[in-house]
Amino acid sequence: MIINSTEYLKKNTEAAPLAVFRIFFGIMMLISIIRFWSYGWIDKLYIQPKFFFSYYGFEWVKPLGIYTYVIFILCGVSTIFITLGYQYRIAIITFFLSFTYIELLDKTTYLNHYYFISLLSFILIFLPANAYYSLDAKIKGVSYQSIPSWTIDALKLLLGIVYFYAGLAKLNSDWLIKAMPLKIWLPSKYDVPLLGELMQQEWMHYLFSYSGMIYDLTIPLLLLYRKTRPFAFILVVVFHVLTRVLFPIGMFPYIMIVSTLVFFDSGFHHKVLRNISKIFKINKAQFDTDKVLEIIPQKNKILFTTLILFFVIQFLFPFRYLLYPGELFWTEEGYRFSWRVMLMEKAGYANFKIVDGETKKRFYVDNDDFLTVFQQKQMATQPDFILEYAQYLKKHFENQGHQNVQVFVESYVALNGRLSTPYIDPQIDLGKQKESFKHKKWIIPFNDEIKGL
Amino acid sequence: MMVRKSVFSVIALVFFMLGCSSDNNTNDEGANGGKDSFDRKALLTNIADNIAIPAYQKFSEDITALKASTSNFVTTANASNLVALRQSWITAYTSWQSVGMFQIGKAEELSLRNFMNVYPVTVSDIESNVTSGSYDLTSVTKQDEQGFGALDYLLNGLSDTDAGIVEFYTTNPNASGYKKYISDLVNRMDDLTKQVLADWKNGYRDTFVNNNGSSATSSLDKIVNDFIFHYEKHFRAAKIGIPAGVFSGTPLDTKVEAFYKKDVSKALFNTSLTALQDFFNGKHFASTTTGESLKTYLDFLNTIKNGENLSLLINNQFEASKKKAASLDNDLSNQVRSNNTLMLETYEELQKNVVLLKVDMLQAISVSVDYVDADGD
């Protein structure tokens, strides 16, 4: 298949799409941060909670109290620099680090789209997004109108992976045969104008399930081909606007709509830049230099190795769940970081019992004493959360002077409308268990079967 | 411009699709077995008009009666007036069990439940209020010095005998202080209750019924969350779990509701249990008629989903709880001391419905468990 990779790497294209992408990315991120802040979520999610759920291996990432705001300021300011293309490399690195740091603070707030932003900003570090139509180019007096094609293709590839894998994840019996979880979610949207009544209809649940799946699987290709592109873009807008109307997914739909513009020809992007130039009185001509930016593979081994490694990981990582026994939706071992977006409805309840191993004296924990409602909700359905919280409880009660502390949990989880069943083995002292990437044997196996990927 | 054109055509397409779809819907009655969608507004109307407002109405009347009895007792403090006042207190306390869950609207704003029914009360603080005669009952720190719990102490806990209690209001050096305090407490309860009822009657009812959307701040979301919160915290935990020592490891027999009166705690518990189940089933207040409810909503959704009969499971669990609780002592405090195992068993039964309500029901009706408005995926 690889006809000539060196030839491909030498291929050039207009830099305008990447410049437009950089500008829009910066603006969208700035809006996201301002929105996040204005809703009071920094305080609510990162300052108020007493306890934070860490990612395995990233326990050292902790909120900095009131200084957490500083990270957000840093992140926000970097988006402005990115938009302007000023000190771009430093700005995008700052953005990547600060944004990722924020996401690592508490896995309660994990969202696929935050992960997507982290990945996107990571590869943007390696792309010459400031080569054209940027303050950097203006100040240096060197603007490159052409850049290697692969730089833009890398973005398309990442977007393609997100969609395609999200589509693959939908190839399961709950989604396709039972129309779950849409059969639960859609009827509750009875108040959506015009569509509300339809949301009660079973055929609509199937229509949405199947069209969602087909959309995710095919949209990367439809966007890639010039002939289908305008139609594909209409689909993108309809799809994301619908998801925005139906689900509380914040900025994600807009970010995706704007991101897919990168698939368009450079003619479109030049038009966008001309309009921006008109509004802000920028002399666009100064950037149109016919200069070609060359990135020679032999001289940039680290860059190419990093990117290739990055994509290999992206291709393989979502399949790591195959290494675990049991139903993925139930155990969630290998669930995150795999583009399983809006894929299942899971609710749980976890009641922790502290037992003195000697005297057998016991009492239950009031989760409200330690966790926010949001944290409790996330904790109750995910074994790694349950374990981390149990360990925390053990330490907490030991510090309070309790002896021989054992931690047990009575927990129930309901998945995609099935009746709730016990989730974690209530006989297991979670205080003795260790977190690892190995299968957690104390998860009670799922008592049903979900076929498919 | 390309984008503008696309956006325009997209909007056109959306409207076209919507147009077609609506047509299909009206022509295609049989598509889903001819089922109509569930009328959430009817549910909210039933809750407001047939449950919440009548319950608050009755409660308000009982509080008015309590006020009259208090006034009688304060004017003429004797044993028979004490008995009458105590009876009014029990009657009002019993009606309270039917409104406790409706901490929505004005009640939420006033923090009604926390000023009405915090127990155990702090006796030393009550006594110092009586002595000093100066206190601000509207202060959050005074919540455990007022309401039904404080009245419980003042009517039942001052002495072992009625004659002994009456002495506090007659011959006690600070009798006027006790009289003033008990009057102030009842007046405040009356004032709070009247505000809440008036609000329901003058506008809030419509606000409540018309807020029939599906957002986290919609009436359905809020009332369902209130219902579950009340069940979990103020019913399961407060009335049974905490006294049984579920959260402390050691039984705490002084933490029961109406501790000083002793023999009404089980009755209050039973009334509350019935009120919660009636709410679930949409049963009109003080009537056998039922209307749209969480039960009928679950049944409707199950016609789409064809899953387990959740409403039946929940009702069965309510019945199992009642059955278990039937053998409890009238004085739960005594039950804790004599045979706490039965308390713990009752708790286990109540706990099972927490799972069904909070996990299964919330999932089925797709109401999020809290008001956290964070983004989803």
Side-chain angles (χ1 to χ4, degrees):
Chain A
M1 277 302 288
I2 306 164
I3 303 158
N4 197 333
S5 60
T6 37
E7 278 305 306
Y8 169 70
L9 292 176
K10 277 184 197 161
K11 237 177 86 185
N12 290 320
T13 185
E14 288 276 337
L18 188 57
V20 170
F21 189 88
R22 184 201 79 226
I23 293 167
F24 283 167
F25 177 77
I27 294 170
M28 294 309 263
M29 289 307 108
L30 181 61
I31 296 171
S32 300
I33 302 243
I34 292 171
R35 172 177 174 272
F36 200 91
W37 192 317
S38 69
Y39 286 2
W41 288 352
I42 302 177
D43 181 57
K44 193 162 152 186
L45 300 174
Y46 295 122
I47 297 181
Q48 298 223 330
K50 292 186 197 117
F51 173 73
F52 298 92
F53 288 97
S54 300
Y55 289 94
Y56 185 47
F58 289 92
E59 292 80 3
W60 49 275
V61 182
K62 290 279 170 225
L64 310 174
I66 200 76
Y67 297 104
T68 310
Y69 283 100
V70 177
I71 308 175
F72 276 86
I73 291 171
L74 208 62
C75 194
V77 170
S78 68
T79 63
I80 298 168
F81 280 63
I82 292 167
T83 308
L84 299 175
Y86 180 59
Q87 297 290 354
Y88 170 75
R89 195 74 36 149
I90 296 170
I92 190 73
I93 291 173
T94 307
F95 178 84
F96 165 71
L97 290 177
S98 56
F99 189 90
T100 307
Y101 189 90
I102 292 165
E103 293 325 312
L104 290 173
L105 288 176
D106 187 351
K107 64 184 173 192
T108 305
T109 59
Y110 171 80
L111 289 183
N112 285 296
H113 88 251
Y114 292 150
Y115 173 53
F116 172 66
I117 299 298
S118 275
L119 295 183
L120 199 54
S121 57
F122 178 76
I123 56 169
L124 278 171
I125 293 174
F126 303 94
L127 304 184
N130 61 339
Y132 178 76
Y133 205 79
S134 68
L135 268 183
D136 283 343
K138 188 185 159 92
I139 290 164
K140 270 191 227 146
V142 195
S143 171
Y144 299 97
Q145 198 184 337
S146 294
I147 52 173
S149 300
W150 65 260
T151 58
I152 292 173
D153 290 345
L155 293 177
K156 293 180 186 171
L157 181 59
L158 182 60
L159 279 163
I161 290 174
V162 173
Y163 277 120
F164 190 72
Y165 275 75
L168 284 182
K170 291 182 174 70
L171 299 176
N172 68 73
S173 55
D174 269 19
W175 189 274
L176 297 175
I177 294 173
K178 295 185 174 176
M180 278 291 183
L182 290 179
K183 206 177 261 187
I184 293 174
W185 289 339
L186 296 183
S188 74
K189 305 297 165 191
Y190 49 83
D191 59 333
V192 173
L194 302 169
L195 285 172
E197 194 75 12
L198 280 174
M199 293 299 155
Q200 314 300 316
Q201 308 292 327
E202 197 171 11
W203 61 268
M204 278 296 275
H205 311 149
Y206 282 96
L207 179 70
F208 271 58
S209 294
Y210 276 85
S211 50
M213 179 267 293
I214 293 167
Y215 168 85
D216 279 337
L217 287 174
T218 56
I219 202 71
L221 281 178
L222 294 177
L223 280 167
L224 218 45
Y225 291 108
R226 182 198 292 267
K227 279 189 181 167
T228 51
R229 198 174 295 143
F231 168 70
F233 188 68
I234 290 170
L235 284 184
V236 168
V237 175
V238 171
F239 178 81
H240 287 295
V241 166
L242 263 180
T243 59
R244 178 71 192 90
V245 170
L246 293 174
F247 308 115
I249 46 179
M251 293 291 294
F252 188 52
Y254 308 116
I255 293 170
M256 287 312 267
I257 291 171
V258 169
S259 297
T260 49
L261 292 176
V262 79
F263 283 92
F264 280 90
D265 291 334
S266 57
F268 164 77
H269 294 93
H270 278 295
K271 259 185 230 166
V272 171
L273 293 178
R274 267 200 291 280
N275 280 317
I276 295 174
S277 302
K278 224 181 279 167
I279 296 165
F280 294 98
K281 309 224 178 333
I282 298 165
N283 173 19
K284 181 174 178 290
Q286 65 180 315
F287 299 107
D288 296 325
T289 56
D290 286 339
K291 274 203 182 123
V292 178
L293 175 73
E294 281 185 77
I295 302 176
I296 299 157
Q298 286 74 14
K299 289 185 184 166
N300 293 282
K301 282 201 175 114
I302 296 175
L303 186 156
F304 283 97
T305 317
T306 309
L307 283 180
I308 287 167
L309 209 62
F310 174 86
F311 280 109
V312 169
I313 292 172
Q314 285 309 311
F315 276 116
L316 297 178
F317 208 49
F319 287 110
R320 73 190 185 283
Y321 77 95
L322 293 171
L323 302 172
Y324 293 100
E327 170 52 48
L328 169 68
F329 286 10
W330 185 251
T331 67
E332 297 205 33
E333 292 174 317
Y335 190 87
R336 282 187 288 259
F337 311 115
S338 307
W339 314 120
R340 301 179 199 283
V341 186
M342 299 289 290
L343 193 59
M344 62 177 182
E345 167 59 43
K346 207 175 177 190
Y349 182 83
N351 199 14
F352 288 81
K353 187 166 70 179
I354 307 295
V355 178
D356 182 326
E358 292 274 303
T359 64
K360 298 294 165 201
K361 236 178 100 173
R362 66 199 181 108
F363 62 91
Y364 285 96
V365 173
D366 185 349
N367 291 334
D368 288 340
D369 291 345
F370 304 97
L371 304 179
T372 65
V373 188
F374 185 33
Q375 288 176 318
Q376 289 179 40
K377 186 177 159 186
Q378 298 287 54
M379 178 272 292
T381 59
Q382 300 178 66
D384 56 334
F385 281 68
I386 290 176
L387 178 61
E388 196 180 343
Y389 179 50
Q391 307 267 352
Y392 167 78
L393 289 175
K394 181 180 160 81
K395 218 175 277 172
H396 172 85
F397 287 108
E398 278 171 353
N399 290 343
Q400 276 204 346
H402 290 266
Q403 304 290 319
N404 316 305
V405 175
Q406 296 180 323
V407 186
F408 299 91
V409 66
E410 289 159 9
S411 61
Y412 294 84
V413 165
L415 175 61
N416 281 348
R418 293 173 181 83
L419 196 67
S420 60
T421 55
Y423 190 49
I424 302 295
D425 185 344
Q427 311 296 333
I428 291 287
D429 176 9
L430 291 172
K432 287 208 183 77
Q433 306 304 313
K434 292 272 171 295
E435 179 60 284
S436 76
F437 288 127
K438 285 189 203 131
H439 170 58
K440 295 176 171 58
K441 293 191 179 111
W442 33 267
I443 303 171
I444 296 172
F446 188 46
N447 65 357
D448 198 354
E449 199 188 355
I450 301 172
K451 293 194 175 74
L453 288 176
Chain B
M1 235 182 93
M2 180 79 199
V3 171
R4 203 168 296 156
K5 226 198 246 166
S6 305
V7 169
F8 179 76
S9 33
V10 164
I11 292 169
L13 187 81
V14 168
F15 276 99
F16 177 73
M17 277 170 45
L18 295 179
C20 291
S21 312
S22 320
D23 283 351
N24 285 346
N25 187 35
T26 42
N27 300 337
D28 209 7
E29 273 284 290
N32 193 27
K35 271 171 238 134
D36 289 312
S37 67
F38 187 81
D39 186 355
R40 279 85 177 168
K41 196 166 176 174
L43 193 167
L44 295 174
T45 308
N46 190 41
I47 291 173
D49 293 350
N50 302 320
I51 306 176
I53 296 175
Y56 266 118
Q57 180 71 49
K58 169 73 166 60
F59 178 60
S60 176
E61 286 160 14
D62 291 343
I63 287 281
T64 306
L66 174 67
K67 201 176 157 183
S69 308
T70 308
S71 165
N72 273 345
F73 177 70
V74 167
T75 315
T76 319
N78 60 32
S80 74
N81 279 345
L82 174 65
V83 171
L85 169 54
R86 191 182 284 142
Q87 192 50 53
S88 309
W89 168 77
I90 293 175
T91 308
Y93 211 167
T94 307
S95 331
W96 164 257
Q97 306 301 328
S98 299
V99 298
M101 75 184 92
F102 297 111
Q103 296 303 299
I104 193 165
K106 198 72 174 178
E108 186 184 15
E109 184 193 319
L110 294 172
S111 197
L112 181 70
R113 182 171 48 207
N114 293 336
F115 283 107
M116 281 290 189
N117 196 24
V118 166
Y119 55 90
V121 289
T122 309
V123 168
S124 56
D125 288 343
I126 292 175
E127 288 293 355
S128 76
N129 287 344
V130 170
T131 312
S132 71
S134 71
Y135 36 80
D136 175 14
L137 293 176
T138 60
S139 157
V140 178
T141 58
K142 298 272 179 223
Q143 286 177 343
D144 60 345
E145 298 159 36
Q146 59 184 302
F148 286 108
L151 290 182
D152 180 29
Y153 170 69
L154 292 170
L155 298 178
N156 308 302
L158 290 172
S159 166
D160 290 339
T161 63
D162 283 3
I165 292 169
V166 170
E167 275 175 23
F168 278 83
Y169 301 88
T170 50
T171 56
N172 187 288
N174 198 15
S176 62
Y178 280 99
K179 284 182 186 173
K180 176 175 181 294
Y181 196 60
I182 199 168
S183 303
D184 285 350
L185 293 188
V186 172
N187 284 337
R188 174 158 169 77
M189 290 165 81
D190 184 50
D191 173 50
L192 290 172
T193 307
K194 286 212 168 97
Q195 284 188 57
V196 173
L197 181 62
D199 192 54
W200 270 104
K201 286 182 167 173
N202 302 316
Y204 184 66
R205 182 259 175 212
D206 290 343
T207 311
F208 177 80
V209 167
N210 292 324
N211 185 10
N212 60 345
S214 64
S215 72
T217 52
S218 68
S219 293
L220 184 68
D221 265 49
K222 291 198 72 177
I223 200 82
V224 168
N225 271 292
D226 286 350
F227 168 68
I228 292 177
F229 184 77
H230 189 78
Y231 182 92
E232 214 182 342
K233 290 271 169 192
H234 296 276
F235 173 68
R236 176 206 62 146
K239 292 188 196 325
I240 302 290
I242 293 171
V246 166
F247 303 99
S248 54
T250 15
L252 303 164
D253 63 326
T254 60
K255 295 211 172 185
V256 299
E257 195 170 22
F259 170 70
Y260 299 99
K261 178 66 181 82
K262 297 190 183 349
D263 57 357
V264 295
S265 43
K266 179 191 172 184
L268 295 175
F269 165 82
N270 279 336
T271 311
S272 189
L273 177 57
T274 306
L276 286 158
Q277 187 178 8
D278 287 351
F279 173 83
F280 175 76
N281 289 313
K283 198 161 152 210
H284 295 188
F285 181 78
S287 152
T288 50
T289 319
T290 57
E292 295 293 7
S293 62
L294 291 175
K295 177 193 178 293
T296 60
Y297 190 18
L298 284 176
D299 291 345
F300 161 75
L301 290 171
N302 214 18
T303 58
I304 302 177
K305 202 177 66 170
N306 281 320
E308 303 274 349
N309 189 342
L310 189 54
S311 69
L312 182 68
L313 292 173
I314 290 171
N315 269 321
N316 285 348
Q317 194 50 47
F318 271 121
E319 294 305 328
S321 304
K322 275 185 188 165
K323 204 174 153 201
K324 182 56 83 178
S327 345
L328 289 170
D329 193 293
N330 283 339
D331 177 0
L332 295 180
S333 181
N334 192 36
Q335 183 67 54
V336 169
R337 287 186 298 270
S338 62
N339 177 14
N340 195 39
T341 310
L342 188 58
M343 283 291 275
L344 292 171
E345 285 171 7
T346 308
Y347 180 84
E348 295 295 322
E349 293 299 335
L350 298 176
Q351 178 65 23
K352 287 179 192 161
N353 240 354
V354 172
V355 176
L356 291 173
L357 294 170
K358 206 172 177 178
V359 178
D360 297 286
M361 181 177 83
L362 284 189
Q363 176 163 98
I365 64 180
S366 199
V367 161
S368 51
V369 75
D370 54 79
Y371 313 125
V372 173
D373 51 354
D375 292 339
D377 249 328

